[in-house]
Amino acid sequence: MRTAYQRGIFGKLLDIDWLLPVLAAMIGLVGVAMIYSASGGDWDLGAQAHLTRLCAGLILMLAIAVVNIRFWLSAAYPAYIGALVLLLGVEFFGVSVNGSQRWLEIGPVRFQPSEMMKIAMIMALARFYHDLPAFRVSRPEGLLGAILIIGMPMALILRQPDLGTSLLLGVSGVIIVFLAGINWKVIIGGVLTAGISAPIFIRYGLHEYQRARILTFFGATGDPTGADYQITQSKIALGSGGVTGKGFQNGTQASLKYVPENRTDFIFTVIGEEFGLVGGLLTMGIFIALFAVCFRLAMACKQVFSRLLILGLTVSIAMYVYINLAMVMGLAPVVGVPLILISYGGTVMLAVLASCGIILSAHLYRDQELPKGSGVLL
Amino acid sequence: MADNIPDNENAVISRRAALLGAGGLSVFGILASRLYYLQVTEAARYQAQSENNRFNFNTIIPERGRIFDRTGQPVATNRQDFRVVLIPERVTDIDLTLDKLGSIIPLAQTTRARIKRDIKVNAKFVPILVDEHLDWASFSKINLQIPDLPGILPLEGKGRAYPHKGLFAHVLGYVGKPNAQALAADTDPLLRQPTFRIGKSGIEQSMDKALRGSAGRQKVEVNAFGRTVKVWEEDRIDAKSGADIWLTLDAQLQAFTASAFGNESGGAVVIDTMTGELRSLVSAPTFDANLFVSGLSQTKFDELNADPKRPQFNKVIGGAYPPASTFKMAAMLAALEAKIVSPREKITCKGKTALGDRDFRCWRPRGHGAMNMRDALKQSCDVYFYEIIQKLGMRKVRAMAQKLGLGATYDIGIAGQVAGALPDAAWKKRQLNANWRTGDALNAVIGQGYVLSSPLQLAVMSARLANGRSAITPHLVVGAELPPPAPLDINPGHMDFVRDAMFSVCEERGGTAYKPGALGIDSVKMAGKTGTGQVRAISAAEHLSGVVRNEDLPWDQRDHSIFVGFAPYKAPRFAASVLVEHGGSGAGIAARICRDILGKALKLDGMGNTAELGGAAP
């Protein structure tokens, strides 16, 4: 039987697991509809751009999907180091938006290297554990390597400052370490260390506004117009939607602009207000389907690199969804995390679709043999 | 299957992936239950909050009630007011726009600063008032220039107007923006509306609640920034205009009275002797109440305050003056009621009464000779009253003065009434903590010394004397609830006697205000009493060397000219009081004005020559 890597480009495209692109496109189209509604029925205020980006992203995803998994294996470390260099570049040459320096401008293109890093770090970790013999995973050299790969970008992103992305990166990294089979003793030790150091970090390691958001969430401040206002209005939007919602484009909280950022981070409030519990659960259902497909693809692979890569990318995407939904529903502090593929915004969409492309590639080349490296970096 | 991958490693990943998947699903479970809680359990609460967010009720300002005189002439109305507002979000260049506008209407630097301040503190779509009370010419010019003035909006609204300018200023008061005190005392949301005005004084203030009306409301949908995005026409409650008010005053008589004062300062009252309706209530000079509505400039305000004739001061109800000889009717009635002197008994006036080492002088230095009671009033002999008060005592005179209406304030709906003073021994002890001396009584009995009354009180006294039976009280508003007047409880025979004496003052040769046919209506006669209120003490030395003639004194040291009277004598219809500050003898200007206004009041009431009434209004 001819395997995927032996066939032509069309054969490869036919062999792709098409359920994943279809689900991603569905979610993206939900975004187009919701942005259209939140813009008061104006096609030009984002919905059009979102659709264009979605199409471009899907094409990019397919392009990435047919790239041989060997390439991603060999590109893992260079990509990671490249992203690290770009993050350092942000430190020195970055553009400030809303008080935090997250963007790099190259000609007309402005992008966030931290989005690149999310993929690159997962690739690097997957490569690291692919090369590392299983028995060394919980040994000091294994731990040190993982801590370095996860810790360096986290520190740089935290300095921008972007607490949300930094935490996302950290959590997805730790989950890969967990998947790689790290000893339970180490896990328990790590959890304890995190539990002790978190309050100290919140006290000294955060910017004023980040602390304010966290304090607001825990009810320590009564600021009615800032983050508290956002959460309150967000809950009013969801709650007033009821079971079936107010109907498409009938959301008053949305159309009268009571919920700030309702085309970007708070777009789920538009779904909840206009389509109610039914719409909210259906949206969550599509996400669950998407992640389930990803898990199935991971399990179909035999290579450590492929499996960890797919699972890591899936976890990273799922983290976005969890944090965003928890934030919108008032279960988490307001951190600037968009709802992937639905929120208006280019970088995250491209990053997510690129991740999906890599997942597809790993699955497409699941039978490809991948050499084990020496067990050291590079 | 690649054999370089140990199976146990793959098995670990699979096991842990399964754990992870289960964890991931349970996170979705938590999120779903949270969504259920928000959208089902708490839905009603959030729906209410959403509606609250969404809808506002705009206040519709009611039209203020109008005020008319008794003949239906409007004295306080609402006229079209022309305003210009600016909507910041539609203006591209504020300075340029204000420059252009400044070439049509004057815009002071301070006004421009105020406009810019208002723009800064309000949302961009909130109209900012540029100017109001524009004349029609400027307003139409702005309307023509509108295409060149984006963001400038000419508006027509309602503003309070007093067509008679100052004529009713002391009665009506005026309206203005509510101050912090008014806002604290009154929770009516209308007061929070930027263009709303409340009564600040006079009838406008006392009847404010009735005049105000009640606010309407309009349901509107607003967005997060407060901008109205939709007006719900079906959910509208129209404003209820304020109640119109009719005054008992007669604008024509009021105008006549005011013009009778000319440049003089003082107050005059014409009152119905049967009902207590006030037909005229004038404090002169006056001020244009319209100035206060539009906001008075500092210079104009200073000018009003610096005027020695105090235009803003309501002298007719708030001025306390010595009633002088007009007080003698009270002393006379008290003496008659106490039966301490027979009306026929004669007392000789030699020009003064000696009390201890002090001389109390009659106004006529060489004396009046033998005076009975009637002649004493007719010629206003002071010595007669100096003599009887020593037997009578001030307490009884005070009680009689109170019966006649002095020393009291009346609920006529204007704040600032003065009670005046009616002294006796107890009063002096209470007020001044001093002992009463006979000399005090001698001064008081001729309406000098401690005695003080307002022109309104003197008019009430005059009306009660004319009426003879009822203690009528004055009122200003038609339809006001009045208690039935109490009986006067004075012997009618005594009343007739006093009225006859007052008749002799005006209609008999030798009376201090003798002028036959003064009313200008055939065979209609009047009764009255002069009063000359001293405002300075005259020393014994000046009496010796000759008292300085009034005309030779500076204005503010001259005597007050006072007159009270009623007409027709036989069937009294109107009573009046006139006080001219520093006007000299009561027999002079006050008597003249009083005759004129009583005559005018009777004619306006339909008495006398009807042909004259039908002619052009004077």
Side-chain angles (χ1 to χ4, degrees):
Chain A
M1 183 182 107
R2 274 155 62 91
T3 46
Y5 54 90
Q6 292 162 322
R7 295 164 68 170
I9 183 93
F10 289 106
K12 287 175 185 171
L13 282 176
L14 279 175
D15 269 8
I16 283 178
D17 188 279
W18 276 94
L19 200 48
L20 180 58
V22 166
L23 287 170
M26 273 173 72
I27 297 170
L29 289 173
V30 169
V32 173
M34 289 304 112
I35 292 166
Y36 176 77
S37 178
S39 309
D42 195 331
W43 193 242
D44 294 327
L45 287 177
Q48 172 78 62
H50 194 74
L51 184 60
T52 310
R53 283 173 187 166
L54 180 65
C55 295
L58 287 170
I59 291 166
L60 175 77
M61 173 177 77
L62 294 179
I64 291 172
V66 295
V67 174
N68 193 314
I69 188 71
R70 274 172 183 271
F71 173 77
W72 300 116
L73 182 74
S74 55
Y77 287 136
Y80 176 78
I81 286 165
L84 213 53
V85 169
L86 285 175
L87 277 177
L88 275 169
V90 170
E91 180 85 0
F92 296 108
F93 312 108
V95 184
S96 275
V97 176
N98 295 335
S100 66
Q101 212 166 12
R102 300 176 187 179
W103 305 79
L104 261 189
E105 252 175 0
I106 299 169
V109 186
R110 195 164 67 168
F111 70 104
Q112 289 175 292
S114 54
E115 291 304 322
M116 259 185 79
M117 180 49 94
K118 280 181 196 153
I119 301 173
M121 187 201 74
I122 291 162
M123 283 168 64
L125 270 178
R127 166 87 200 248
F128 177 69
Y129 285 117
H130 183 79
D131 292 339
L132 196 70
F135 69 92
R136 299 177 81 170
V137 167
S138 298
R139 295 256 180 96
E141 65 267 28
L143 285 176
L144 185 70
I147 287 169
L148 275 178
I149 293 172
I150 300 167
M152 283 190 295
M154 267 186 83
L156 283 172
I157 293 169
L158 192 62
R159 275 185 58 81
Q160 289 180 350
D162 186 351
L163 176 68
T165 308
S166 180
L167 285 178
L168 266 177
L169 209 64
V171 172
S172 33
V174 165
I175 286 175
I176 295 172
V177 174
F178 167 77
L179 288 170
I182 201 161
N183 207 315
W184 282 103
K185 287 177 205 157
V186 182
I187 294 171
I188 291 162
V191 167
L192 285 177
T193 314
I196 292 162
S197 58
I200 300 167
F201 175 73
I202 288 171
R203 179 73 188 79
Y204 299 106
L206 290 182
H207 279 259
E208 201 51 55
Y209 81 98
Q210 293 170 326
R211 192 155 46 238
R213 280 174 173 177
I214 292 170
L215 290 176
T216 298
F217 173 69
F218 288 110
T221 66
D223 166 28
T225 50
D228 204 14
Y229 171 84
Q230 224 164 338
I231 291 182
T232 305
Q233 293 300 341
S234 172
K235 287 198 277 192
I236 292 175
L238 292 175
S240 66
V243 176
T244 50
K246 298 176 184 172
F248 185 55
Q249 283 193 272
N250 286 337
T252 55
Q253 287 284 109
S255 65
L256 300 175
K257 303 189 170 40
Y258 283 101
V259 186
E261 303 288 341
N262 71 355
R263 294 189 307 138
T264 53
D265 294 355
F266 281 80
I267 193 142
F268 191 72
T269 63
V270 184
I271 300 175
E273 189 183 12
E274 299 188 350
F275 296 101
L277 183 67
V278 173
L281 290 181
L282 273 177
T283 308
M284 279 160 66
I286 306 176
F287 277 118
I288 292 172
L290 181 77
F291 302 142
V293 166
C294 291
F295 264 70
R296 186 174 56 76
L297 297 185
M299 291 307 113
C301 295
K302 296 288 179 283
Q303 311 281 343
V304 171
F305 179 70
S306 306
R307 295 189 128 196
L308 287 183
L309 188 62
I310 294 176
L311 289 175
L313 291 172
T314 307
V315 162
S316 151
I317 296 169
M319 291 307 296
Y320 268 112
V321 178
Y322 290 149
I323 291 176
N324 179 272
L325 292 182
M327 168 182 90
V328 167
M329 294 177 197
L331 287 176
V334 176
V335 284
V337 172
L339 187 58
I340 52 143
L341 300 179
I342 298 182
S343 286
Y344 181 74
T347 310
V348 172
M349 176 186 272
L350 288 183
V352 166
L353 290 176
S355 301
C356 290
I358 294 170
I359 290 171
L360 288 175
S361 155
H363 176 254
L364 186 63
Y365 292 94
R366 57 189 174 277
D367 296 330
Q368 173 84 53
E369 267 191 43
L370 295 173
K372 287 249 177 195
S374 61
V376 280
L377 286 176
L378 294 178
Chain B
M1 180 158 309
D3 26 66
N4 60 341
I5 302 163
D7 274 345
N8 68 326
E9 194 168 358
N10 252 336
V12 166
I13 294 179
S14 297
R15 255 199 331 269
R16 294 210 166 170
L19 266 176
L20 190 68
L25 259 179
S26 58
V27 173
F28 271 113
I30 292 168
L31 291 173
S33 62
R34 171 68 174 180
L35 202 58
Y36 181 87
Y37 169 78
L38 289 175
Q39 298 197 297
V40 179
T41 316
E42 293 284 302
R45 181 161 73 93
Y46 287 119
Q47 264 151 16
Q49 286 186 21
S50 165
E51 294 290 286
N52 247 348
N53 259 351
R54 195 176 151 202
F55 295 115
N56 247 358
F57 290 97
N58 283 352
T59 306
I60 304 169
I61 296 179
E63 186 167 344
R64 194 173 175 83
R66 293 162 299 174
I67 305 176
F68 301 97
D69 85 336
R70 65 181 302 112
T71 66
Q73 263 206 60
V75 295
T77 58
N78 306 305
R79 61 142 191 247
Q80 283 300 84
D81 187 26
F82 301 116
R83 305 174 183 149
V84 178
V85 298
L86 175 151
I87 300 165
E89 66 177 0
R90 296 194 206 154
V91 180
T92 39
D93 185 337
I94 300 275
D95 279 306
L96 188 71
T97 306
L98 289 181
D99 285 343
K100 278 189 194 164
L101 200 61
S103 64
I104 307 171
I105 53 168
L107 281 182
Q109 210 53 47
T110 49
T111 312
R112 293 181 67 142
R114 194 257 311 151
I115 293 167
K116 287 190 176 170
R117 203 167 51 242
D118 286 353
I119 292 172
K120 219 173 276 172
V121 299
N122 285 296
K124 288 289 166 225
F125 57 86
V126 174
I128 306 295
L129 182 71
V130 175
D131 203 359
E132 52 185 345
H133 313 301
L134 296 174
D135 56 74
W136 171 246
S138 314
F139 188 70
S140 46
K141 247 189 235 168
I142 292 170
N143 272 295
L144 279 177
Q145 301 272 319
I146 277 311
D148 288 341
L149 294 166
I152 293 291
L153 201 64
L155 283 180
E156 291 178 49
K158 292 279 186 179
R160 198 61 157 173
Y162 302 104
H164 294 276
K165 292 190 172 156
L167 195 53
F168 291 88
H170 290 115
V171 173
L172 298 175
Y174 48 84
V175 296
K177 281 189 180 176
N179 58 17
Q181 249 178 315
L183 289 173
D186 195 337
T187 52
D188 190 338
L190 267 177
L191 267 62
R192 277 77 187 166
Q193 297 295 314
T195 57
F196 191 72
R197 300 286 184 270
I198 60 164
K200 302 290 252 188
S201 64
I203 295 289
E204 293 273 32
Q205 183 184 37
S206 65
M207 310 239 2
D208 190 62
K209 286 272 158 63
L211 288 165
R212 195 185 284 179
S214 57
R217 54 165 228 195
Q218 171 70 66
K219 187 179 182 181
V220 292
E221 191 170 358
V222 292
N223 70 9
F225 315 110
R227 182 202 296 274
T228 299
V229 292
K230 189 182 173 195
V231 176
W232 293 67
E233 287 299 344
E234 67 272 24
D235 195 341
R236 175 189 169 98
I237 300 170
D238 281 318
K240 242 176 86 190
S241 297
D244 290 340
I245 287 173
W246 277 263
L247 299 179
T248 59
L249 297 176
D250 183 328
Q252 230 178 313
L253 183 63
Q254 185 83 348
F256 182 86
T257 308
S259 67
F261 268 86
N263 287 327
E264 297 293 342
S265 168
V269 182
V270 178
I271 184 170
D272 186 311
T273 59
M274 295 297 167
T275 62
E277 282 182 3
L278 293 163
R279 290 294 181 105
S280 180
L281 191 71
V282 165
S283 178
T286 184
F287 60 92
D288 187 352
N290 293 305
L291 294 176
F292 283 82
V293 179
S294 53
L296 203 55
S297 72
Q298 191 61 42
T299 43
K300 188 74 197 163
F301 190 69
D302 292 342
E303 203 177 291
L304 278 176
N305 279 339
D307 191 329
K309 289 177 179 170
R310 296 180 294 167
Q312 290 197 76
F313 180 46
N314 196 349
K315 299 175 187 99
V316 72
I317 62 161
Y321 305 93
S325 299
T326 60
F327 193 66
K328 285 172 181 167
M329 277 83 80
M332 227 168 113
L333 270 175
L336 287 169
E337 295 277 295
K339 297 187 171 64
I340 54 114
V341 60
S342 154
R344 273 183 294 277
E345 190 182 325
K346 292 203 174 176
I347 293 169
T348 305
C349 167
K350 290 174 182 166
K352 64 183 180 187
T353 289
L355 187 76
D357 56 352
R358 259 187 86 188
D359 284 344
F360 285 83
R361 291 174 189 276
C362 188
W363 66 270
R364 197 177 196 197
R366 55 195 168 85
H368 288 93
M371 291 271 110
N372 64 19
M373 191 180 272
R374 187 172 186 268
D375 289 340
L377 195 78
K378 178 179 170 187
Q379 299 183 35
S380 202
C381 175
D382 294 334
V383 166
Y384 182 91
F385 290 91
Y386 294 150
E387 297 300 327
I388 63 166
I389 190 64
Q390 295 180 55
K391 266 204 252 174
L392 181 58
M394 199 56 201
R395 203 171 53 81
K396 286 182 181 139
V397 178
R398 180 179 198 266
M400 180 54 70
Q402 279 171 333
K403 270 191 181 178
L404 292 176
L406 301 186
T409 56
Y410 299 97
D411 182 19
I412 60 169
I414 314 177
Q417 276 185 61
V418 72
L422 290 175
D424 64 1
W427 177 91
K428 193 177 178 188
K429 193 79 200 164
R430 198 168 58 241
Q431 295 290 319
L432 303 168
N433 195 26
N435 288 322
W436 185 256
R437 287 153 33 154
T438 314
D440 293 331
L442 265 58
N443 274 328
V445 77
I446 61 161
Q448 296 282 161
Y450 299 120
V451 189
L452 293 171
S453 310
S454 69
L456 176 67
Q457 291 170 340
L458 293 176
V460 171
M461 176 185 80
S462 183
R464 287 183 183 179
L465 284 168
N467 182 295
R469 283 177 298 278
S470 299
I472 58 104
T473 53
H475 62 274
L476 253 180
V477 177
V478 172
E481 291 219 0
L482 297 168
L488 256 182
D489 197 22
I490 301 170
N491 184 328
H494 297 157
M495 275 298 207
D496 287 344
F497 182 83
V498 174
R499 272 202 298 272
D500 174 55
M502 287 174 74
F503 172 78
S504 72
V505 170
C506 297
E507 302 286 354
E508 283 181 16
R509 200 170 296 279
T512 52
Y514 172 57
K515 194 171 186 250
L519 294 172
I521 305 168
D522 288 343
S523 76
V524 176
K525 296 192 186 319
M526 67 179 285
K529 181 70 193 85
T530 55
T532 305
Q534 267 182 38
V535 293
R536 65 186 191 116
I538 300 171
S539 67
E542 193 180 331
H543 278 296
L544 280 178
S545 62
V547 177
V548 182
R549 282 159 28 112
N550 232 311
E551 301 85 271
D552 299 335
L553 287 167
W555 180 75
D556 62 353
Q557 287 184 31
R558 291 180 200 163
D559 297 333
H560 294 319
S561 178
I562 308 163
F563 195 89
V564 300
F566 57 86
Y569 166 66
K570 282 192 174 150
R573 179 82 189 86
F574 297 116
S577 73
V578 175
L579 184 139
V580 180
E581 280 188 324
H582 312 296
S585 164
I589 184 165
R592 195 167 67 240
I593 293 175
C594 195
R595 285 182 201 115
D596 289 351
I597 62 178
L598 276 174
K600 181 73 179 177
L602 289 172
K603 285 175 201 159
L604 286 171
D605 205 47
M607 199 174 270
N609 192 345
T610 44
E612 193 182 319
L613 252 187

